[in-house]
Amino acid sequence: MCCRAFAPPIAVPKIPEGDKVDFDDIHRKRLEKDLTELQSLIEAHFIQRKKDEEELIALVNRIEKRRAERAEQQRVRAELEKERQTRVAEEKERKEQEEARKKLDDDAKKKKALTNMTQQYGGVQQRDGKKGAKKQTEREKKRKILAERRKPLIIDHLNEDKLKEKANELWQWLLTLEAEKFDLTEKLKRQKYDINVFQTRINEQQKFAKGRGKAKGRVR
């Protein structure tokens, strides 16, 4: 990378005839010339060295910039992939919950239809005068429903992934039952409140009717 300067060949000075030659002066001038050439070479060397260092720094900066750009691209790709996996997992979970909810709705409709059929059959038996039919209490109905829902849990043959899926399914089913329980409780509270309101109105109307009847009797 360093420029090497070549000095032109030095011609041997001619010595004039009859004059006295000053060898010291010739030697001094030669040294001055050599020193000047050496300084020129040194300056050229440092100029080239500075230029090489600047090019090296620029190259390092380009490499670091490219490395940072690649790192940023990889980070963006990783985030996009993570978001995609999250969407896939959420969609899978949503479908599983929807299927579980649909299955529960179907089971509830089947159980309701079976209960209606049982009640209708019991009403026919009562109208026909058949005796010996046992009347189901509310507790017995609840026990029957619980017995139908509480199926045996067979998990001995399942691997780890299937066990996780089964646990998630049971958890979602439990959440659905809790939601149904909450809805039924709120519905029962509302019905009780409506009954109390209607009963209060009926009592007030009865009192008002009795008061009007007594007033008519006194007028006569």
Side-chain angles (χ1 to χ4, degrees):
M1 292 185 185
C2 179
C3 293
R4 184 176 180 183
F6 295 92
I10 301 173
V12 180
K14 296 181 179 181
I15 301 174
E17 296 180 359
D19 294 337
K20 185 178 179 180
V21 179
D22 190 354
F23 290 100
D24 293 335
D25 184 59
I26 295 173
H27 182 67
R28 180 179 59 78
K29 290 181 178 179
R30 180 175 294 178
L31 289 177
E32 289 177 354
K33 185 177 181 180
D34 291 342
L35 180 60
T36 302
E37 293 176 354
L38 180 60
Q39 288 177 348
S40 299
L41 291 174
I42 292 173
E43 290 177 358
H45 168 73
F46 280 107
I47 292 173
Q48 186 63 35
R49 181 176 177 180
K50 183 179 180 181
K51 183 179 179 181
D52 294 340
E53 289 178 352
E54 291 176 351
E55 292 179 354
L56 180 60
I57 292 172
L59 177 61
V60 172
N61 291 336
R62 288 197 299 272
I63 292 173
E64 291 297 330
K65 182 180 179 181
R66 181 57 183 165
R67 185 179 299 169
E69 290 175 353
R70 285 200 300 269
E72 179 65 16
Q73 292 173 357
Q74 291 176 357
R75 185 188 66 80
V76 172
R77 284 198 295 268
E79 289 182 355
L80 293 175
E81 179 63 20
K82 184 178 180 181
E83 292 177 357
R84 187 189 68 81
Q85 292 179 359
T86 302
R87 288 195 301 270
V88 171
E90 290 176 351
E91 182 66 17
K92 181 181 179 182
E93 183 178 0
R94 185 188 65 78
K95 289 182 179 180
E96 290 177 351
Q97 291 178 356
E98 185 177 353
E99 291 177 357
R101 192 181 300 109
K102 184 178 179 182
K103 186 176 183 300
L104 289 174
D105 292 341
D106 293 340
D107 293 342
K109 290 178 181 178
K110 291 178 181 178
K111 290 175 183 178
K112 184 177 181 180
L114 181 61
T115 302
N116 293 335
M117 290 175 63
T118 303
Q119 291 176 353
Q120 291 176 1
Y121 181 70
V124 171
Q125 285 184 332
Q126 286 182 351
R127 287 194 298 269
D128 292 343
K130 291 184 179 180
K131 297 181 181 181
K134 294 184 179 180
K135 200 174 184 181
Q136 266 191 333
T137 63
E138 290 297 326
R139 181 174 296 179
E140 289 173 344
K141 290 180 180 180
K142 291 180 180 179
R143 288 178 179 177
K144 183 178 179 181
I145 293 174
L146 289 174
E148 291 176 354
R149 289 189 176 186
R150 192 169 52 214
K151 298 178 180 180
L153 186 62
I154 303 174
I155 59 175
D156 294 336
H157 65 287
L158 300 179
N159 56 22
E160 183 178 356
D161 293 336
K162 293 295 182 180
L163 285 173
K164 289 180 180 179
E165 292 179 3
K166 190 67 176 178
N168 184 45
E169 179 183 350
L170 293 175
W171 175 251
Q172 297 299 330
W173 182 55
L174 179 61
L175 292 178
T176 304
L177 292 178
E178 288 293 334
E180 291 178 357
K181 179 182 176 182
F182 177 80
D183 294 338
L184 292 174
T185 303
E186 294 298 320
K187 184 178 180 181
L188 180 61
K189 290 180 181 179
R190 183 64 186 176
Q191 289 177 351
K192 288 182 178 180
Y193 174 80
D194 293 338
I195 291 173
N196 291 332
V197 172
F198 292 150
Q199 187 65 41
T200 302
R201 290 179 180 176
I202 292 172
N203 293 335
E204 290 176 354
Q205 289 178 358
Q206 289 178 351
K207 289 180 181 180
F208 179 76
K210 288 180 180 179
R212 290 183 62 184
K214 291 180 181 181
K216 287 182 180 180
R218 285 197 294 270
V219 171
R220 291 177 184 177

